[in-house]
Amino acid sequence: MASYAQKRASQPATPINFDVPAHACDCHTHIHGDVEKFPFFAGRVYTPGPASPEEMAALHKALHIERVVIVTPSVYGTDNSTTSFGIKARGATARGVAVIDDNTTEAQLDAMQADGFRGIRINLATDGINNPDVGRARFTAAVERMKARGWHVQLYATLPMISAIKDLVLASPVPAVFDHFGGVEASLGLEQPGFADLVALVKSGKAYVKISGAYRSSKLAPDYQDMVPYAHALIAANADRIVWGTDWPHPDSVPVPGRKPTDLAPFYPIDDGRLLNQLPVWAPNADVRKKILVDNPARLYGF
C-alpha cells in the first residue's frame, strides 16, 4: 500500500535555476476536486487522489509560473465542472480544455467558452484505443464541431495513431495539439515509426506538441536525459508550435495487475522544479524558451 504522502499531489523540491519569463504558462494540469462535489465517472479506468486549486497555486508560485491550462482528465468522463472550478479559482490567468461527446450541446460549449475553455481533448491513450478508424472518426467529428468556434483539438494518442490521422490534421481548419511528446517511447530512438510524421506536422504549423510528461516516455528519472533529442528535434522543426506543461498532479493511469479502477492510484512522485529545470537543456536559447512558455500559449489559448 502506498504511503499517504504518495497519495497527495506533489510540490516542487528543487528551486528553479533559470529566469522564467513573465506570463509563463503551464499548459497541462488537472484538478481533482472534492469527490462529494465532483464525483468520478463510473466508467473510469483509474481513481486519482485529490489535487486542489490551492495546491496548484502553491506549485506555480514555486515554479514562478503565472498562467495555467487545466485539462479535464478521463476520470470525469464528459463532466467538466471540476475543471471550471479550477479555472474560476485562478481567474483570468487560467484556461481550460474540455472533454465532450455527442450529447454536449452548443449552449454548454458557449457556457464553457465564457468560463475560459478554449479546446477539447480526445483521450485515446488512456482508454487503450489503437484502432486508426476510431481515431480518424473521433478527430473528424471533433474538428467539425470546433471549426466555427475556433477551439483547438487536443489529442492524447500514440505515434501510430498520429501517423494514421496525419492527413486529417494537415487539412484541419483548427489546430491539433498533441500531448506528452506525441507518445514517443524514448528507448526506441528518433527513427521510431511515427516520430517523423509528428515532426512534419509541427513543421507544417498545423499541430502543436506539448513537451510534457517526459516521465511517461522515459525510464531515466529524474532528468530523463534520453528525451533531449526528441525535444531538440521538435523545437528545431518549429519553435512556434511547442508548449510546455507539468502534467501535475502526475496521475498514474496505467493499469496495474490487481488494482481495480475504483482503487486509489498513487501519484507519480515527480519533482516539478527539477522537471522545469530541464527546459533550458531542451531549449538553451532564452528567446526560444519565451516562445514555448509565453508566446505560443498566449496564441493557442487566447491569454
Side-chain angles (χ1 to χ4, degrees):
M1 188 59 149
S3 69
Y4 183 69
Q6 288 176 290
K7 295 176 186 175
R8 293 191 63 82
S10 61
Q11 290 294 331
T14 303
I16 302 307
N17 62 12
F18 69 102
D19 289 331
V20 177
H23 312 306
C25 185
D26 178 351
C27 294
H28 198 101
T29 65
H30 308 289
I31 291 291
H32 307 146
D34 180 339
V35 292
E36 296 296 319
K37 296 178 183 175
F38 304 105
F40 294 124
F41 163 55
R44 67 192 181 278
V45 299
Y46 74 103
T47 297
S52 70
E54 293 77 16
E55 289 172 301
M56 184 186 284
L59 164 87
H60 289 138
K61 184 177 181 181
L63 297 180
H64 310 151
I65 284 178
E66 175 192 345
R67 294 170 174 167
V68 66
V69 177
I70 304 171
V71 179
T72 298
S74 65
V75 294
Y76 292 107
T78 59
D79 181 354
N80 296 283
S81 54
T82 190
T83 299
S84 291
F85 167 68
I87 296 170
K88 287 171 182 171
R90 194 67 165 251
T93 61
R95 296 289 185 268
V97 177
V99 176
I100 70 169
D101 63 15
D102 292 342
N103 296 318
T104 307
T105 67
E106 291 301 311
Q108 287 173 311
L109 290 172
D110 289 342
M112 285 191 273
Q113 183 151 345
D115 280 350
F117 285 84
R118 293 297 181 267
I120 60 170
R121 187 191 202 199
I122 301 171
N123 187 335
L124 303 172
T126 301
D127 292 339
I129 296 170
N130 297 306
N131 184 333
D133 293 336
V134 174
R136 288 178 66 84
R138 289 185 63 180
F139 183 75
T140 300
V143 168
E144 190 62 29
R145 290 206 71 179
M146 292 302 109
K147 63 183 183 183
R149 199 169 287 276
W151 288 14
H152 64 271
V153 176
Q154 176 179 320
L155 296 105
Y156 186 21
T158 61
L159 287 175
M161 185 65 79
I162 292 171
S163 294
I165 65 168
K166 180 182 176 183
D167 60 315
L168 300 178
V169 175
L170 288 170
S172 172
V174 300
V177 181
F178 294 111
D179 287 348
H180 308 329
F181 285 90
V184 303
E185 290 188 44
S187 62
L188 298 183
L190 292 172
E191 302 303 315
Q192 65 188 279
F195 186 65
D197 287 331
L198 177 63
V199 170
L201 286 171
V202 171
K203 190 171 186 176
S204 76
K206 300 292 291 188
Y208 290 75
V209 66
K210 297 186 181 186
I211 51 173
S212 59
Y215 57 92
R216 299 186 183 279
S217 296
S218 166
K219 295 180 173 64
L220 299 184
D223 294 328
Y224 315 106
Q225 295 96 325
D226 52 352
M227 295 305 293
V228 174
Y230 299 99
H232 285 175
L234 291 165
I235 292 167
N238 191 347
D240 292 327
R241 292 297 181 269
I242 309 297
V243 294
W244 178 89
T246 55
D247 191 31
W248 185 91
H250 314 294
D252 178 3
S253 59
V254 179
V256 173
R259 189 174 77 194
K260 299 191 292 288
T262 50
D263 291 341
L264 191 63
F267 293 120
Y268 289 115
I270 303 298
D271 177 355
D272 287 297
R274 191 153 185 164
L275 204 62
L276 181 52
N277 285 344
Q278 297 313 303
L279 186 58
V281 179
W282 297 346
N285 183 287
D287 291 336
V288 171
R289 289 198 299 274
K290 182 176 177 291
K291 286 185 177 187
I292 293 169
L293 289 171
V294 184
D295 302 338
N296 300 345
R299 180 194 320 115
L300 181 60
Y301 300 104
F303 284 108

